[in-house]
Amino acid sequence: MSTTIQVDGVESMVEYSFPRGHLGHLQPEEEDALKEFKERIENGFYKTGNAEDEFGYYNDALLLRFLRARHFNVQDAISQFMATEEWRNANEIDTLYKTIDLEQYEETRRLYPQWTGRRDRHGMPVYVFVVKHLDSKTMSAYEKSAIKTHTMARSDDNTPQKLLRLFALYENLIRFVMPLCTVLTDREYPKTPITQSNNIVDISGVSLRMFWNLRAHMQDASKLATAHYPETLSRIFIIGAPSFFPTVWSWIKRWFDPITTSKIFILSQDDMKATLESYIDPADLPKQYGGELDFEFGQAPVLDPALKDVLKWEGSYTDFPHGPIYWSDKGDHIEAVAVGHVNQNERRDTICTVRKTAPI
């Protein structure tokens, strides 16, 4: 089911390389594990949909993320899943995502990994994260702003507000970006849901002091993301590593489990283009990393050309607006609904529909 590698001289489990361990590509014992998982949590936790028939969250692909994270050990996967559901309920994550203030959401989005609007060779979304923007002045201003997040959600007071805002971005990944990539079936395994992303992390121009100042925030964010959004990462490509980065890496890698560590590639300038192009078509790779795509960190996604064949805009919309969006399942198509609050007024707009071209 999986392979092994050496991490610091210790043999460790490696992730289930796509599509192994994903829906439609399970071994018999993995099928049995999924069936047992569903049977044991269906009372009270697992649900096949919600009142709005939201597309892309509670489904078998979600459960498989937890199973892969726990090497298909059903009891361990159940424990992590239930802890996540309790955390989501305690912090009303669904309500947070759908009622967060759009200005605060955008303030957070500008600081963290951003979707390019494109996909890798497997159909997974490609994100870019330019770390040098997180200087002490920017982070200080953000932490002051994030003391209070305007939303109708209540929190457990254990998760910092600045991290809850960050997890609103994770919700966007799993409730907007991944479902959209799933319905685009011009890929090798068109019936396999997309549940992971590839990330280019650009650390050029980042000083040792900046890494040190960011360490606590990044450690907390990594810990919670690993606990509550397992197996949403396919690869991280670190670009522009300074000469002192081995020192930084020695303490950063302690934040991750061996599976996550095995997904992180530190690329030299000489290796960058060839390595990235082995995962991402040049047309979908930003120019600054050796590709052909006109995309700069901070701008809106440059939408995949494949969308034009299946997407129909509603009303006056010609692009996806800023802020939270989720998909509603309408049978033969999905419908994008933009939510959030603007000046304390609820936004709920139908943006577009996307036609399904393969059974999912």
Side-chain angles (χ1 to χ4, degrees):
M1 294 190 299
S2 59
T3 55
T4 59
I5 60 166
Q6 293 286 323
V7 179
D8 293 341
V10 178
E11 193 173 78
S12 304
M13 296 295 295
V14 182
E15 85 287 353
Y16 292 78
S17 297
F18 186 85
R20 295 169 66 185
H22 291 252
L23 206 59
H25 304 274
L26 301 178
Q27 298 296 319
E29 63 271 23
E30 294 168 348
E31 292 275 11
D32 291 342
L34 176 60
K35 180 181 178 181
E36 180 184 349
F37 192 177
K38 291 168 65 174
E39 290 173 348
R40 290 178 59 182
I41 64 172
E42 63 183 0
N43 294 323
F45 281 97
Y46 183 64
K47 38 192 172 182
T48 57
N50 58 25
E52 298 172 305
D53 293 321
E54 184 173 338
F55 176 77
Y57 188 70
Y58 287 104
N59 49 39
D60 288 356
L62 167 73
L63 300 188
L64 283 170
R65 282 178 27 222
F66 285 86
L67 283 167
R68 290 196 304 272
R70 296 301 168 195
H71 314 305
F72 282 83
N73 181 306
V74 176
Q75 184 55 54
D76 288 352
I78 287 174
S79 296
Q80 184 174 3
F81 178 80
M82 292 179 68
T84 292
E85 287 297 286
E86 289 167 0
W87 173 80
R88 293 181 65 87
N89 290 334
N91 291 286
E92 297 186 345
I93 298 297
D94 290 347
T95 302
L96 168 72
Y97 184 63
K98 293 180 179 179
T99 64
I100 191 170
D101 179 83
L102 293 189
E103 189 172 314
Q104 293 181 334
Y105 179 94
E106 280 303 301
E107 179 186 22
T108 305
R109 188 194 67 84
R110 288 191 291 267
L111 298 179
Y112 290 103
Q114 298 172 5
W115 184 38
T116 61
R118 298 303 177 93
R119 300 169 292 153
D120 72 0
R121 295 185 184 276
H122 286 310
M124 299 178 189
V126 176
Y127 278 71
V128 169
F129 184 21
V130 179
V131 179
K132 67 182 178 182
H133 294 287
L134 303 183
D135 57 35
S136 58
K137 182 178 179 180
T138 299
M139 290 306 294
S140 176
Y142 175 66
E143 288 182 2
K144 290 178 182 177
S145 169
I147 289 175
K148 176 62 178 176
T149 296
H150 298 292
T151 173
M152 295 176 66
R154 296 173 296 177
S155 72
D156 61 6
D157 295 325
N158 294 322
T159 306
Q161 289 291 313
K162 63 182 179 182
L163 290 183
L164 286 175
R165 286 198 195 181
L166 172 59
F167 293 127
L169 302 184
Y170 269 93
E171 291 295 300
N172 186 260
L173 167 67
I174 64 176
R175 298 166 80 162
F176 169 64
V177 177
M178 287 178 176
L180 179 56
C181 293
T182 292
V183 297
L184 293 176
T185 54
D186 57 335
R187 48 193 171 93
E188 187 176 3
Y189 304 105
K191 296 182 181 180
T192 301
I194 298 298
T195 59
Q196 295 179 311
S197 65
N198 270 306
N199 292 255
I200 298 172
V201 179
D202 188 339
I203 59 174
S204 58
V206 179
S207 67
L208 182 59
R209 177 185 291 272
M210 183 181 288
F211 276 119
W212 184 254
N213 290 340
L214 289 171
R215 73 192 188 284
H217 175 74
M218 294 175 69
Q219 184 174 10
D220 290 344
S222 300
K223 181 179 178 181
L224 282 169
T226 300
H228 302 311
Y229 297 89
E231 283 292 301
T232 53
L233 173 68
S234 177
R235 295 286 185 272
I236 290 179
F237 301 101
I238 296 180
I239 306 297
S243 58
F244 60 79
F245 189 70
T247 301
V248 175
W249 178 241
S250 68
W251 41 268
I252 287 181
K253 65 184 178 182
R254 298 173 191 166
W255 308 342
F256 304 107
D257 58 63
I259 289 180
T260 302
T261 302
S262 73
K263 299 179 180 184
I264 300 174
F265 295 75
I266 303 170
L267 305 183
S268 68
Q269 186 64 33
D270 292 339
D271 295 334
M272 178 182 71
K273 179 178 171 63
T275 302
L276 290 178
E277 287 187 358
S278 69
Y279 289 90
I280 306 167
D281 188 277
D284 300 314
L285 180 64
K287 287 182 176 178
Q288 58 270 39
Y289 306 119
E292 303 168 0
L293 181 67
D294 283 315
F295 176 85
E296 295 287 341
F297 185 76
Q299 75 174 74
V302 181
L303 294 178
D304 196 309
L307 277 169
K308 71 179 186 300
D309 296 327
V310 294
L311 185 149
K312 178 183 178 182
W313 298 107
E314 296 289 333
S316 61
Y317 283 103
T318 58
D319 203 349
F320 290 109
H322 291 310
I325 303 174
Y326 71 89
W327 294 98
S328 181
D329 194 352
K330 301 300 181 181
D332 63 348
H333 67 276
I334 57 175
E335 183 178 272
V337 182
V339 289
H341 274 72
V342 183
N343 298 323
Q344 299 184 339
N345 294 314
E346 181 182 12
R347 177 182 74 163
R348 188 177 181 83
D349 296 341
T350 299
I351 307 302
C352 68
T353 59
V354 175
R355 177 169 48 87
K356 297 178 185 177
T357 58
I360 299 172

